[in-house]
Amino acid sequence: MNSLPEQLVDGTAGDSGFDVGARLRAVREANGLSQRELARRAGVTNGTISLIEQNKNSPSVSSLKKVLDGIPMTLAEFFAQDEPPQDQVFFRAAELVTLTRGAVSFRQVGARAGHALQILHEHYAPGADTGRAMLRHDGEEGGIVLRGRIELTVGDRREILGPGDAYHFSSRIPHRFRNPGDEECELISACTPPYL
Amino acid sequence: MNSLPEQLVDGTAGDSGFDVGARLRAVREANGLSQRELARRAGVTNGTISLIEQNKNSPSVSSLKKVLDGIPMTLAEFFAQDEPPQDQVFFRAAELVTLTRGAVSFRQVGARAGHALQILHEHYAPGADTGRAMLRHDGEEGGIVLRGRIELTVGDRREILGPGDAYHFSSRIPHRFRNPGDEECELISACTPPYL
DNA sequence: TAACAGTGTTTAAAAAACTCAACAACGCAA
DNA sequence: TTGCGTTGTTGAGTTTTTTAAACACTGTTA
């Protein structure tokens, strides 16, 4: 049942919001390689390269990786061209987006997507807690306490930090923030990549 | 003819030098999604997610993109790696390393090397200036002003920021900080990667 | 002109990914 | 306990990608 084996992804940007075919063709030509030469280096056939470049098929990650190895180029480099522009530089206090998660509020600097860095001005009400289920995600995070006290648990370590104290850890370690006092706690944090 | 339809990519990191399965599982769990919930949002079946996470198949770029759209996360973010060693987590106020550059002082959270994130508590004396020769380096940086005023020039844009105001830009754009007032200026900044 | 070496494209068969539906395991409430 | 809802995994069948080989086109050489 294939009366219309037309290209399933449309000819231009495809269904992926990222024009894999055009990107591969540009990269290949920028390196002065023919389809056949790249195919030989990559250990695939020239037909595969042709079809990918025309967006007539969507390569598997493993075959795309093989092809890029023949360039050579990493997957991250290949896709690291789609980051949106987004270039607001200055943010007035009133412009900071405020996010609320129960007794914790975050004032976020700029937008979340397309950046490698996220900066938050966080406020923890007395007793506020990010939850018993510990947080875990990629990247690193750190911060400095401005006011009040915060109890921070990272893996099997736990400390109570006060004004001027700071922290920095890999976000892959399970972690939890809790305000154990009667006073609001205020801190500024940064993390990479953004995760909220 | 499929006498050995075993997994072609080995169980761990696969043939791609990048463990797509483990990475997807980590990302999904970090966002608190079940395989089924992610599958529903992405418009694929839960079986697909399961097989990908076990590295029993290598998804096509278009299906991986669909899956990531349900997170949401871009392909570039997915393939961007990170490697944090070093593990001091808590830093008492007195422990913060202080660096001085003329009329500007930085109190640094943790060590500089081997991290993707650097956090600084900066103090600019009245008139302090990072110099007429504009700064330029890789990464992104941002911060929030706590006290005083700072004049920030980024490319051809210039603003004076006060308490609560913030900034965020690509460090590749030439930039310069200057305290134009009579009062000390204090701010907390973050940048990635570290550059001092 | 013909013969050749290079290019990218296209087709049928083989291989791999994807779907659908069933399965086993766990936690939780009745 | 039973029952229900959830989790992740698995097998049979369908769809898509990949291969291998042929095709059409270009520029060069004889």
Side-chain angles (χ1 to χ4, degrees):
Chain A
M1 171 198 304
N2 29 15
S3 52
L4 55 154
E6 298 301 317
Q7 56 214 59
L8 300 182
V9 293
D10 78 50
T12 57
D15 61 345
S16 68
F18 182 92
D19 193 340
V20 173
R23 173 88 173 121
L24 177 58
R25 175 157 291 172
V27 165
R28 175 176 63 78
E29 292 179 343
N31 286 75
L33 299 173
S34 68
Q35 291 182 343
R36 280 184 162 83
E37 174 59 15
L38 176 54
R40 192 190 59 73
R41 297 192 190 187
V44 300
T45 62
N46 61 300
T48 300
I49 308 261
S50 177
L51 293 169
I52 293 172
E53 289 188 349
Q54 298 171 81
N55 286 314
K56 289 194 176 172
N57 65 20
S58 177
S60 67
V61 168
S62 56
S63 32
L64 179 58
K65 178 61 169 60
K66 277 200 294 187
V67 170
L68 294 178
D69 283 344
I71 300 271
M73 171 179 271
T74 67
L75 287 162
E77 287 166 337
F78 185 81
F79 288 109
Q81 200 212 222
D82 78 354
E83 304 274 322
Q86 194 121 48
D87 67 340
Q88 183 175 359
V89 171
F90 308 104
F91 302 87
R92 290 297 168 187
E95 292 183 275
L96 300 187
V97 180
T98 300
L99 307 167
T100 301
R101 297 279 184 283
V104 187
S105 80
F106 306 88
R107 310 197 52 200
Q108 182 176 253
V109 178
R112 162 201 169 204
H115 288 290
L117 179 64
Q118 179 183 50
I119 298 177
L120 298 172
H121 188 176
E122 311 184 20
H123 290 262
Y124 289 81
D129 193 334
T130 56
R132 216 167 344 165
M134 308 264 280
L135 304 169
R136 245 162 71 79
H137 47 91
D138 275 330
E140 292 181 31
E141 63 188 276
I144 297 181
V145 177
L146 301 179
R147 199 161 55 77
R149 296 177 160 278
I150 193 84
E151 177 197 82
L152 170 57
T153 307
V154 178
D156 55 1
R157 290 182 274 191
R158 174 176 304 170
E159 288 274 350
I160 294 181
L161 302 175
D165 292 342
Y167 62 92
H168 186 188
F169 56 88
S170 162
S171 306
R172 284 201 265 227
I173 306 171
H175 52 282
R176 173 187 190 178
F177 292 84
R178 194 171 72 87
N179 181 348
D182 301 333
E183 187 190 352
E184 183 181 64
C185 179
E186 184 181 349
L187 61 88
I188 289 180
S189 74
C191 65
T192 164
Y195 69 97
L196 269 183
Chain B
M1 169 195 304
N2 30 15
S3 51
L4 55 153
E6 300 300 319
Q7 56 212 61
L8 299 183
V9 294
D10 77 50
T12 57
D15 61 345
S16 67
F18 182 94
D19 192 339
V20 173
R23 173 91 172 118
L24 177 59
R25 175 157 291 173
V27 165
R28 175 176 63 79
E29 292 178 344
N31 284 76
L33 300 172
S34 68
Q35 291 182 343
R36 281 183 163 81
E37 174 59 17
L38 176 55
R40 190 190 61 73
R41 297 191 192 190
V44 300
T45 63
N46 60 299
T48 300
I49 308 264
S50 177
L51 294 169
I52 293 172
E53 289 188 350
Q54 297 170 80
N55 286 313
K56 289 195 177 170
N57 63 22
S58 177
S60 68
V61 169
S62 56
S63 31
L64 179 58
K65 178 61 169 58
K66 278 201 291 186
V67 170
L68 295 179
D69 282 344
I71 300 261
M73 169 178 273
T74 67
L75 288 161
E77 287 169 335
F78 184 81
F79 288 108
Q81 292 282 64
D82 45 326
E83 19 49 66
Q86 275 196 338
D87 72 339
Q88 184 177 357
V89 171
F90 307 104
F91 302 86
R92 290 299 167 189
E95 293 182 90
L96 299 188
V97 180
T98 300
L99 307 167
T100 301
R101 296 280 185 282
V104 187
S105 80
F106 306 89
R107 311 197 53 201
Q108 183 175 253
V109 177
R112 155 195 169 205
H115 288 290
L117 180 63
Q118 180 184 50
I119 298 176
L120 298 173
H121 188 176
E122 311 184 21
H123 291 261
Y124 289 80
D129 193 334
T130 56
R132 219 165 343 165
M134 310 263 280
L135 304 170
R136 244 161 73 78
H137 47 91
D138 275 332
E140 293 181 28
E141 64 188 277
I144 297 181
V145 177
L146 300 180
R147 198 161 56 77
R149 294 174 162 278
I150 194 84
E151 178 197 81
L152 169 57
T153 307
V154 178
D156 54 1
R157 288 182 274 192
R158 175 176 304 169
E159 288 273 349
I160 294 182
L161 303 175
D165 293 340
Y167 62 92
H168 187 188
F169 56 87
S170 162
S171 306
R172 283 198 265 230
I173 305 171
H175 50 283
R176 174 185 190 179
F177 290 85
R178 194 172 72 87
N179 181 349
D182 302 332
E183 187 190 353
E184 184 180 64
C185 179
E186 185 180 348
L187 60 89
I188 290 180
S189 73
C191 66
T192 163
Y195 68 96
L196 271 182

